[in-house]
Amino acid sequence: MISSNLRKAREYEEKYEAVIKEEDRPAFHLSPRVGWMNDPNGFSFFDGKYHMFYQYYPYESKWGPMHWGHAVSEDMLHWKYLPAAIAPDTEADMVGCFSGSAVDMGDGRHMLLYTGVTREGFEDYRDKLLGYESGDIQIQCVAIGDGVNYTKCDTNPVIDSSMLPDGCSKLDFRDPKVWKNSDGTYNCVVGNRPADGSGQILLFTSADGIKWNFKSILIKNECRYGTMWECPDFFELDGEWVLLTSPTEMVASGLEYCSGSGTLCLIGDYDETAGKFTDRSNQSIEYGIDFYAPQTILTADGRRIMIGWMQSWGTLDIKDSSEPWFGQMTIPRELSVKNGRLYQWPAKEVESMRTGKTEYRGVSFEDILKLDGVSGRQVDMEVVVRPEDIDSYGGFEIRFAQDDNFYTSVIYDASDSVMKIDRSHSGCRGDITNQRICSIGSECLSELKLRIMLDRFSAEVFINGGEKAMTITMYTEQSADDISFVASGRVNIDVVKYDLK
Ligand code: FRU
């Protein structure tokens, strides 16, 4: 039996997805079936397919009472929509079904662990789905299903604030990320706020995924990086323990962190018995503008793959809420830890989409260069740049999504060793952040390596073998598909470009 709220959402999305033409969506990035999308949720492998759920409000392209949209894929690039998985329809989640995660229970059941937002002492909730207000409390809930239909547990909430130590907020307590241990038990990490008003991550354990126990405060923010820590993910990678989270209300710090909602990767030591994580190093996960709330999975062949929300809370007003869709996910990126830093690189599945190779080696030029066959808005391109004379070398720029009036670019400034991503001239009328800068290694001076993935409305740039990534959405007409190279000083470049189908 599905609830009337879920039935309504399913009927709506089935009817209105048709208003979005295929060419008006990204070609290989997941976008909402219709309406609004934010965080990736429940990224998992179940029943032979990758599943991706997402924060979803089908009825308008703006944030509203949260549902979970649902899609499946064999390669994490070509997605097939399934009916919306859950809607706010029980006492535990009457205000919304916030972010969470999913796990294969190993017995044919797929478990969703998500944050229910509810209102204390609020009786007549079915008539009052008013949206998120302060005073709403957050609790963790389970829904179990077969990969299409999910039933919420009668025992929801499975985790609530009565299980927490004194001082833990019940208003900010969300985004459980669950994983299954080799002995069949489960753990999850959840974002929370202690009395100091900043963030912390809580750790819970469970024998069956349904009855949960508080284990420990995994780590406290102590007002170091933003305030609330949203959407945590915690895993071992290349012999290191890694915590990913998305802090709110960051204060800019050097070129590492920007003000506002950002991303944070802590690498450190995990005392499993005590349930304590101690960070040794910190960095942004991403250095572009449109990246937030990523989630990872471990694939059967042992890769840690991450997908993030390819949008930012600062770009909400860029489209009118009457537009048919808003929000998309990044491509899947394989993570690794090298020299104590998080690296990311397009998952190998991307390579099977490559067609039409265009290759140039050792092209020497200064000022501006266009190359035959190097254009397009669905592109995977690798560029290597070597200055011919380091002393007169000022830097290098790649312009894309370009026509006579508009372009977006990545610009390397050799004197400051910084990379800028810039959509100031992309034709967007919105009052949004258009540029971001990050520092890159001095070795880029003699050899700069860039990989750029374009897909109609976005660019994902991987610098220096994935040491840093910069992601941006762009709203330029699709006919603007030129790519050009600009060098200050004579350079010698290699370009390998594929179209992505
Ligand atoms: C992060 C977030 C989560 C929350 C969800 C609500 O983008 O604020 O913390 O669960 O979005 O849509």
Side-chain angles (χ1 to χ4, degrees):
M1 252 291 280
I2 69 168
S3 71
S4 58
N5 283 354
L6 185 59
R7 181 172 320 106
K8 189 173 140 217
R10 286 180 169 189
E11 284 169 6
Y12 186 90
E13 61 181 5
E14 211 179 308
K15 184 163 172 203
Y16 287 103
E17 72 174 335
V19 305
I20 309 171
K21 292 202 232 79
E22 210 185 298
E23 62 269 26
D24 293 335
R25 292 181 179 278
F28 54 90
H29 290 76
L30 181 63
S31 53
R33 191 163 176 186
V34 61
W36 166 272
M37 161 192 276
N38 60 292
D39 312 353
N41 292 160
F43 185 21
S44 53
F45 191 79
F46 176 76
D47 198 18
K49 291 179 210 79
Y50 294 100
H51 288 250
M52 181 61 91
F53 303 81
Y54 50 91
Q55 288 286 281
Y56 184 37
Y57 184 61
Y59 306 111
E60 268 180 286
S61 288
K62 66 173 198 195
W63 194 89
M66 279 293 128
H67 298 55
W68 277 32
H70 189 187
V72 288
S73 173
E74 274 167 21
D75 60 3
M76 299 176 277
L77 293 159
H78 300 91
W79 294 94
K80 177 174 167 277
Y81 292 112
L82 291 180
I86 52 175
D89 54 14
T90 66
E91 199 165 340
D93 59 22
M94 58 193 175
V95 179
C97 301
F98 273 22
S99 284
S101 49
V103 71
D104 183 343
M105 297 183 88
D107 56 3
R109 294 182 302 161
H110 196 207
M111 181 180 93
L112 314 183
L113 180 64
Y114 68 98
T115 298
V117 185
T118 187
R119 206 156 287 170
E120 256 177 346
F122 194 82
E123 306 289 326
D124 190 16
Y125 65 87
R126 276 170 218 282
D127 299 325
K128 299 189 181 175
L129 289 168
L130 299 173
Y132 181 44
E133 285 178 8
S134 62
D136 293 343
I137 63 160
Q138 304 187 335
I139 50 189
Q140 317 317 319
C141 302
V142 163
I144 293 178
D146 60 1
V148 180
N149 293 303
Y150 295 82
T151 305
K152 293 177 183 172
C153 271
D154 294 339
T155 53
N156 281 339
V158 295
I159 304 177
D160 68 15
S161 64
S162 66
M163 297 161 70
L164 305 184
D166 284 350
C168 293
S169 169
K170 56 181 179 178
L171 307 183
D172 285 303
F173 178 32
R174 58 182 176 273
D175 311 335
K177 175 72 200 288
V178 62
W179 69 92
K180 200 171 180 182
N181 299 305
S182 51
D183 64 359
T185 62
Y186 298 86
N187 286 62
C188 77
V189 284
V190 189
N192 184 245
R193 231 188 245 265
D196 70 6
S198 79
Q200 63 185 3
I201 304 299
L202 308 180
L203 178 66
F204 295 83
T205 57
S206 172
D208 60 2
I210 293 162
K211 260 189 84 358
W212 287 87
N213 299 302
F214 173 78
K215 161 91 180 166
S216 57
I217 297 175
L218 183 72
I219 182 171
K220 290 185 172 185
N221 180 2
E222 280 160 341
C223 303
R224 293 176 296 164
Y225 309 102
T227 58
M228 174 67 185
W229 282 2
E230 299 189 315
C231 303
D233 199 341
F234 186 56
F235 49 84
E236 196 176 3
L237 180 62
D238 298 328
E240 298 280 7
W241 280 90
V242 178
L243 176 76
L244 306 182
T245 184
S246 296
T248 60
E249 302 176 299
M250 301 269 289
V251 172
S253 163
L255 295 179
E256 193 61 35
Y257 301 106
C258 282
S259 294
S261 293
T263 58
L264 175 68
C265 167
L266 298 176
I267 298 178
D269 302 304
Y270 179 39
D271 176 343
E272 212 165 334
T273 317
K276 297 279 173 204
F277 173 67
T278 317
D279 54 294
R280 266 185 278 111
S281 73
N282 71 86
Q283 62 173 101
S284 276
I285 304 173
E286 248 271 353
Y287 296 85
I289 299 173
D290 293 301
F291 186 90
Y292 197 68
Q295 230 177 51
T296 72
I297 53 163
L298 188 62
T299 59
D301 60 2
R303 292 174 296 152
R304 181 60 62 174
I305 302 284
M306 172 178 79
I307 291 184
W309 182 40
M310 190 161 61
Q311 203 70 58
S312 59
W313 290 109
T315 47
L316 302 192
D317 297 330
I318 213 161
K319 282 195 185 177
D320 193 85
S321 63
S322 63
E323 295 270 336
W325 66 274
F326 182 80
Q328 49 179 322
M329 300 300 174
T330 64
I331 52 161
R333 304 174 181 184
E334 182 173 352
L335 299 182
S336 55
V337 176
K338 290 181 207 159
N339 312 318
R341 280 197 61 88
L342 184 75
Y343 275 64
Q344 52 196 293
W345 194 245
K348 65 179 184 210
E349 282 78 357
V350 167
E351 286 153 36
S352 62
M353 293 177 59
R354 288 170 164 178
T355 62
K357 183 175 184 182
T358 306
E359 184 172 359
Y360 291 89
R361 298 276 170 197
V363 181
S364 169
F365 81 102
E366 58 187 334
D367 297 331
I368 293 195
L369 174 75
K370 280 197 182 185
L371 292 168
D372 276 353
V374 178
S375 64
R377 289 284 284 266
Q378 279 170 244
V379 163
D380 179 356
M381 178 170 76
E382 288 190 70
V383 180
V384 181
V385 187
R386 293 165 293 256
E388 292 193 1
D389 170 27
I390 292 233
D391 295 333
S392 60
Y393 181 44
F396 188 80
E397 173 176 358
I398 304 179
R399 297 183 176 178
F400 43 87
Q402 183 179 20
D403 62 11
D404 292 344
N405 298 314
F406 304 122
Y407 62 92
T408 295
S409 57
V410 274
I411 306 153
Y412 168 60
D413 179 336
S415 53
D416 287 343
S417 286
V418 296
M419 186 69 77
K420 174 158 79 179
I421 195 151
D422 187 350
R423 63 178 168 205
S424 308
H425 300 102
S426 66
C428 173
R429 292 173 194 275
D431 187 5
I432 55 168
T433 300
N434 282 315
Q435 299 185 340
R436 192 169 171 197
I437 295 175
C438 70
S439 60
I440 61 172
S442 54
E443 67 278 13
C444 296
L445 185 60
S446 52
E447 189 174 70
L448 172 68
K449 290 193 204 137
L450 295 171
R451 181 164 176 195
I452 302 187
M453 313 281 310
L454 304 179
D455 180 10
R456 290 184 181 148
F457 310 102
S458 64
E460 293 166 89
V461 180
F462 300 85
I463 304 158
N464 209 12
E467 191 181 339
K468 292 205 167 157
M470 301 181 101
T471 294
I472 202 164
T473 54
M474 44 192 195
Y475 306 89
T476 319
E477 290 293 326
Q478 295 301 307
S479 55
D481 66 352
D482 285 350
I483 294 174
S484 59
F485 305 94
V486 184
S488 149
R490 181 160 281 278
V491 295
N492 183 290
I493 66 169
D494 300 335
V495 178
V496 181
K497 178 239 158 191
Y498 299 88
D499 296 315
L500 292 175
K501 285 276 137 51

